[in-house]
Amino acid sequence: MNAHDKSFVEGSALTAEELAMLNRPTCEAQGLPGRAYYDPAIFELERQRIFAAGWVGIGFASDVPNVGDVVPVSVAGWELILVRAKDNSIKCYHNICRHRGMKLVKEKGNVRTIRCSYHCWTYGLEGNLLATPSIGGANEGQAPGFDPSDLSLVSVRTGQYLDVVFANLDGSAEELETYLAPVRERIESTFDFKLLKPTPPGTGRGSRNFAVNWKVVLEGGIEDYHLPFVHKSFDHSKDYSTEMCGETYSGFSSRRSLSEAQKRYSTKAADGHELPFFPKMVETGVAETVVLFVFPATIISCTPNYVSLSLQLPLGPELTHYTSKTYFIGDSATSDEYKKLREENTIYWKQVLDEDDGPWREVQKMARNREEVGIPSRFSPHWEVALHNFQKTVASKLSATK
Ligand code: FES
Ligand SMILES: [Fe+2]
């Protein structure tokens, strides 16, 4: 942390003055300091107080569709495995062998057992330690006094909403259902998720790494202020509202006519084919988009024709893995007739993220300089109220004494 910052609130990553300035009205408030985007000590606090203490979207149920499917997940330095167990439930374990701590699963696959590559300790899909080859001598799989029964893989508490698998590493968070109740209340009456189907692999916004802090990625999506300045295909929404619910979510919504929405989200092809709208939109003639950034880093992006679920998984203070899936309505998710539109949607979003990448890198690079000079960021009171709310939520976690 910066040497000239003396008056830290006890146990906090921010000074009392920084907290006070952040908590002022949006038009006057000063944002998180530069070091919040690179300082390993602050990242460590986020790791514990945000990514271990709350519910975090870590993967997609559709990534482990079949019994025996395994996928390794890395989030803020926590190494985990998602597994589809024999009873079809999704389990999450720490990806750590109970022998010498080897990382067990290194890539996505389908397995009957989870076998460590070091000394071949072998675990069942339910996490139980099944075999310890030669532990008692050559070809002797048992050893006197050694009890494998309490050496199962260490489980992590999980839950699921839509296709997102959430994990609560420290086990202390409220029930996931309680946490997500305001999210469901906001979107489920407008967007009928039962109609959605996942698209074939390779469709949608995909997965990629951004060489920036996870908050830079999140803040880059949470405001529509930059749209016409950075993105070729977007203009400013005239009917734009902030969406916020305390520390649960921040976000925005916008409304436009059905034809304007088709143009904006590129959902009508030159040959006249168009993606179907959610029935509610057709009924009212108003196309609504609601994008909720569920704290800390799960984005539920509901457009009039499709929904994207995106996760931002920090890999380090200055590296973030972004992974996203898109779900279209009914047949438009899978049928050949809509293939071209789905492909166009993929290209469209790839371009949007490519356009974002440049400014995000610059902001990341300048964070050190900004910290040295002592220049705080500011907010647009029209476009960035939700972004401000997000930063206040981060600050409240970082300054809470535990
Ligand atoms: S570290 Fe896994 S079996 Fe030895
Ligand atoms: Fe953008």
Side-chain angles (χ1 to χ4, degrees):
M1 288 183 205
N2 192 318
H4 11 268
D5 291 300
K6 298 288 182 221
S7 56
F8 286 97
V9 177
E10 199 190 340
S12 172
L14 304 173
T15 65
E17 194 194 344
E18 284 166 342
L19 277 172
M21 293 312 291
L22 180 60
N23 285 312
R24 291 180 73 83
T26 304
C27 56
E28 298 168 14
Q30 298 183 351
L32 292 171
R35 66 181 185 285
Y37 298 84
Y38 62 83
D39 186 334
I42 293 184
F43 185 70
E44 181 58 29
L45 278 180
E46 291 180 336
R47 237 186 127 232
Q48 302 292 344
R49 296 183 183 180
I50 294 175
F51 289 94
W55 284 107
V56 179
I58 58 160
F60 299 106
S62 59
D63 277 343
V64 284
N66 303 312
V67 170
D69 284 346
V70 291
V71 60
V73 176
S74 182
V75 52
W78 304 101
E79 300 296 334
L80 310 171
I81 325 170
L82 282 181
V83 180
R84 180 72 67 169
K86 284 190 187 140
D87 65 357
N88 221 29
S89 65
I90 295 176
K91 310 274 188 211
C92 180
Y93 307 114
H94 286 279
N95 196 357
I96 303 172
C97 180
R98 297 295 309 267
H99 176 220
R100 192 96 48 80
M102 184 79 169
K103 186 171 179 177
L104 285 166
V105 175
K106 288 159 196 146
E107 57 190 32
K108 194 174 171 169
N110 183 272
V111 297
R112 291 177 61 173
T113 56
I114 297 167
R115 197 170 73 160
C116 181
S117 61
Y118 203 171
H119 310 89
C120 282
W121 283 25
T122 304
Y123 304 84
L125 302 178
E126 284 64 36
N128 47 321
L129 179 56
L130 293 174
T132 51
S134 298
I135 191 170
N139 298 321
E140 188 44 70
Q142 291 170 0
F146 178 83
D147 179 7
S149 66
D150 59 352
L151 291 171
S152 296
L153 296 178
V154 176
S155 280
V156 174
R157 186 180 177 211
T158 57
Q160 186 179 338
Y161 177 55
L162 303 174
D163 195 21
V164 179
V165 179
F166 288 83
N168 168 225
L169 280 133
D170 76 358
S172 72
E174 62 188 326
E175 291 299 318
L176 180 63
E177 205 170 311
T178 312
Y179 183 60
L180 293 179
V183 173
R184 298 185 60 177
E185 196 174 315
R186 175 62 189 91
I187 51 184
E188 289 189 1
S189 59
T190 310
F191 301 93
D192 187 352
F193 294 113
K194 287 193 300 298
L195 301 175
L196 295 173
K197 290 187 192 156
T199 51
T203 320
R205 304 182 201 187
S207 300
R208 60 196 286 179
N209 286 353
F210 289 104
V212 300
N213 182 269
W214 66 281
K215 299 188 292 299
V216 171
V217 181
L218 193 132
E219 292 171 4
I222 207 170
E223 48 88 356
D224 271 8
Y225 190 15
H226 73 288
L227 296 192
F229 312 125
V230 172
H231 299 299
K232 281 197 222 96
S233 44
F234 287 139
D235 53 6
H236 275 149
S237 301
K238 307 249 172 356
D239 184 349
Y240 175 89
S241 318
T242 296
E243 300 282 345
M244 262 169 29
C245 181
E247 297 192 342
T248 308
Y249 69 77
S250 308
F252 60 85
S253 61
S254 60
R255 284 143 295 275
R256 46 183 55 79
S257 69
L258 301 188
S259 59
E260 281 169 31
Q262 282 178 325
K263 206 167 136 225
R264 182 181 184 87
Y265 298 108
S266 200
T267 57
K268 187 170 182 178
D271 64 6
H273 260 94
E274 49 191 275
L275 290 176
F277 284 94
F278 278 103
K280 184 83 182 273
M281 317 282 161
V282 180
E283 217 176 277
T284 59
V286 177
E288 189 173 35
T289 295
V290 181
V291 185
L292 302 187
F293 292 70
V294 180
F295 193 81
T298 300
I299 305 166
I300 303 178
S301 176
C302 307
T303 80
N305 312 86
Y306 57 88
V307 168
S308 293
L309 302 173
S310 313
L311 313 174
Q312 282 151 59
L313 306 174
L315 297 179
E318 298 183 77
L319 185 61
T320 302
H321 182 63
Y322 172 96
T323 180
S324 178
K325 291 210 169 194
T326 299
Y327 311 78
F328 289 97
I329 298 169
D331 273 358
S332 64
T334 47
S335 91
D336 272 357
E337 201 186 331
Y338 294 97
K339 191 162 180 255
K340 188 146 193 319
L341 273 167
R342 291 194 304 268
E343 283 168 2
E344 279 173 13
N345 184 271
T346 301
I347 293 164
Y348 173 87
W349 280 106
K350 183 180 178 305
Q351 183 188 320
V352 168
L353 289 172
D354 284 347
E355 288 166 347
D356 280 320
D357 190 35
W360 292 353
R361 280 173 193 261
E362 289 284 324
V363 163
Q364 181 68 37
K365 206 168 102 191
M366 294 305 290
R368 282 179 174 76
N369 214 200
R370 182 158 82 74
E371 176 69 23
E372 281 165 356
V373 183
I375 295 180
S377 61
R378 296 292 299 264
F379 306 100
S380 153
H382 178 76
W383 301 102
E384 296 178 324
V385 176
L387 196 161
H388 184 202
N389 188 57
F390 166 73
Q391 290 203 359
K392 285 194 284 190
T393 306
V394 171
S396 93
K397 306 287 181 195
L398 294 184
S399 56
T401 41
K402 240 194 147 183

